[in-house]
Amino acid sequence: MKPNFIISLLSLFFVLLSSTTAWAQEKAVIKGQISLSNNDAADNVSVVLKGTKIGTVTDSQGFYEIKNITPGNYTIRISAVGHTTKEENITVNEGESLTRNFIIINNSEQLEEIFVKGNANKYTKSESSYVSKMSIKNLENSQVYSVVTKDLMKDQLVVNQDEALKNVPGLYQLWASTGRVGDGGSFFASRGFITQSLLRNGIAGKITNNVDASNLERLESIKGPSATLFGSLLTSYGGLINRVTKKPYDRFGGEISYQSGSYGLNRLTADVNTSLNDDDTALLRINAAYNNANTFQDYGHTRSYFFAPSFSYKVNDKLTISIDAELSNVDASSMSLIYIPFDATPSSLGLYDAKDIKMNWKRSFTGDEFMMNTKTSNIFAQANYEMSDKWKSQTVLSTSSNQSVGPQTWFYLSGNNQMSRNAWNINGRDNIIEFQQNFNGEFELFGMKHRTLAGGDIYRLESKSGFGYLSGDINNIFKSDYDVVDYSASNANYYNFNPKNVDALFVNGYQYKAITSLTTYSAYAADVINVTDKLIVSAALRFDHFQNDGTFNPAANTKTGNYSQNALSPKFGLVYQIVKDQVSIFGNYQNSFKNVGFTMADVGGTAQLKAFDPEKANQFEGGVKINAFSNKVSATFSYYNIEVKDIVRAGVLANTNIQDGNQTSKGFEAEITANPISGLNFIFGYAFNNSKLNNANANVNGLRPETAGPENLINYWISYSLQTSKFKGLGIGFGGNYADKTFIYNKNVVNATTNATENQTFTLPSYAVVNAAIYYDQPKYRLSIKVNNLTDELYFNGYTTINVQAPRTFMGSVAYKF
């Protein structure tokens, strides 16, 4: 580059900089502090100059500053959800620095999500209209739920949903996302039963990969059988996971961040919000993310794109409509999932614990990237209409489309430090559409206040799945090894197991394709009754008509498993507030069910095709909820007892079933969040679960199921940020998780030598993982550094597989706010 050109370019740069500086000096500044009526500072409050796109939000101490204001007359507007809006006319002179302080008052009549907590507990439970499909406070709700707030996710540099859910007491990840259509989302154990994240803003919102955190406002884990309000297809006996997404607001703002870390992590996110017209009735918010990272093994890679626009339009004072979308494209290689073969036992392998496997866990045992592509396209539309001061209508339409294409690998353990390498090819897609209508109202009857819900929905699923196997033998598709390797030694053929060599074998392997579809028609109603100011009784009932069209095999031209079934699911609750709005005791009865349908049954020693009744789960729970000291302490303590009856289990005759199984799951959960002093926040959770199969098959009768996860789980996170020094905004945080050992094999086995029955187990060892973070948070930027697995603990999760987790990793983030 020529010197004259460089000099000219630098001269132009300094001229522009000088001009900009001179221009800025002519502008004015407005600054001040927003406080709550109890003198606490109010963070994240919107401060705008009405009729313009100029504005900001307050920091954690309630301070705000708006720069570069053209002199003139303005109306400054202070607004926060759940608080009264304030406006004041001001005149701004050239070069002036104007100070304006405000106090805002909580509006107790508004029970939507209150984002403004002030200088209080930022990890606390938020009020939610999704948990009960109506606006009731946590202390009025007889159901237990945990909330992972956006502040907690921000302090922990969370990049995906699975990381965030480690903050939920009693929730244990059994299996990470595989990306497969049908079961691609991560599996979790909750209160002894498997559950997945299948809801978004209270309605179906399936994603078959790991949900990106860039569009998450918060996560809600709703505990216990919850089919009464959400249906059996989206919930489990242990509960459900609902992700709440970011919504547009009435000013220009947002954040752009870049994150980098160990193993090639590069992540870019953007959150941009704007009003589209002068009266702020049309609002748009866009969240997007790009993620590119390797795994900690020699082969393994993920690259993803995520785009989530959200638009809302206030048609008039009564009607508001919104349209949201989640669009993602993920290319990811499968982690090395290791199984105990279905025809093996721990004694036959000589292995009883994951730490007995003498493997270098940083070896993937693949010779290249086995990449699967997953595409998701979810669209949501909602209309909220105020029919009167007491009655509201909510109409929601959700569509979800997922597609998965590509190979996946897995390994089977065998004796003598050996394992087989296997692969299959996935090609499938599913489409889900759900229409839901809710009516919420309030009225008084016999002097008692009623809050009522009446609603219904239609849920339709259509799925096309395809699997390609290495073996051409239909009876041996899962035992078609590519080869067998010694995982403890060097392997000359280590790199032979790669997509090119495997693809050549798929051509002559067995191909399976199936088309399934089902529809559920549902109606439900709920009523929350204030018998007195402190005594609250609730009841709900759901009716489902379940229509399964069966599974169609195009090659065989056959359809199997089609059936229809009806089910009723009741729910009851009781709450008494010992101290009004601070301490309540509660109890609940909840019900859920699972449709079984037609299957071959053992009927009096004869094999017959039979339609089984739905399985039924009933939960009784009681406990205490606390929200005291102006929201500085929030806690829930509960004991539950879940019994599942009529479980379908294997019959005496080969390939038949009988329906008389039983599982009990009892436990205790505790969650505490607190802000004892200014700047100090912590969350602590403990869960104990005792699950047992009763009246089950001999090989599992009386044992803890492998799907139940650990008996004891602990989660915690503590953060502190300086409040008054010149380093205000500098904070540190640390926390982690503890889990008991868990079984991936727990069966009664007949000893071939002694002919005696003995219990054999294969366990994943207990672990204690510690993470730490440091951050510097300012109104316009945030700098963060985090270390995951600080002590470099070797640990695993799983329930049928052995899934090794990442070693110590570092990451850093730079965010610019506007």
Side-chain angles (χ1 to χ4, degrees), residues 78-100:
I78 314 299
S79 62
V81 178
H83 292 72
T84 54
T85 298
K86 283 204 168 186
E87 294 184 356
E88 181 180 313
N89 296 325
I90 57 173
T91 299
V92 181
N93 300 314
E94 182 176 338
E96 182 180 13
S97 179
L98 189 65
T99 300
R100 285 290 184 271

Side-chain angles (χ1 to χ4, degrees), residues 201-231:
N201 297 334
I203 196 168
K206 179 182 177 183
I207 288 184
T208 56
N209 47 57
N210 196 349
V211 177
D212 195 284
S214 62
N215 194 38
L216 292 178
E217 182 68 38
R218 66 181 186 273
L219 288 166
E220 300 173 344
S221 176
I222 305 174
K223 305 298 184 67
S226 302
T228 304
L229 294 181
F230 297 96

Side-chain angles (χ1 to χ4, degrees), residues 34 36 41-47 56-64 78-83 104 113-119 122 150-151 154 217 247 249-251 253-255 271 285 777 779 817-818:
I34 313 298
L36 300 177
D43 68 329
N44 203 32
V45 175
S46 174
V47 184
T56 186
V57 292
T58 58
D59 64 14
S60 61
Q61 295 300 299
F63 290 105
Y64 72 92
I78 314 299
S79 62
V81 178
H83 292 72
I104 58 176
E113 169 79 18
I114 298 175
F115 295 107
V116 183
K117 300 295 183 186
N119 184 28
K122 62 182 180 178
K150 63 180 179 182
D151 290 302
K154 180 174 66 176
E217 182 68 38
K247 310 292 192 302
Y249 48 91
D250 61 353
R251 65 175 182 81
E255 180 176 301
D271 180 356
R285 187 172 187 175
D777 196 7
K817 310 172 191 177
F818 52 89

Side-chain angles (χ1 to χ4, degrees), residues 16-30:
L16 291 173
L17 182 61
S18 300
S19 301
T20 302
T21 303
W23 174 81
Q25 290 172 348
E26 297 174 0
K27 303 292 183 177
V29 175
I30 303 175

Side-chain angles (χ1 to χ4, degrees), residues 189-208:
S190 177
R191 296 193 169 182
F193 302 94
I194 292 178
T195 191
Q196 288 187 281
S197 175
L198 299 175
L199 286 109
R200 177 193 186 274
N201 297 334
I203 196 168
K206 179 182 177 183
I207 288 184
T208 56

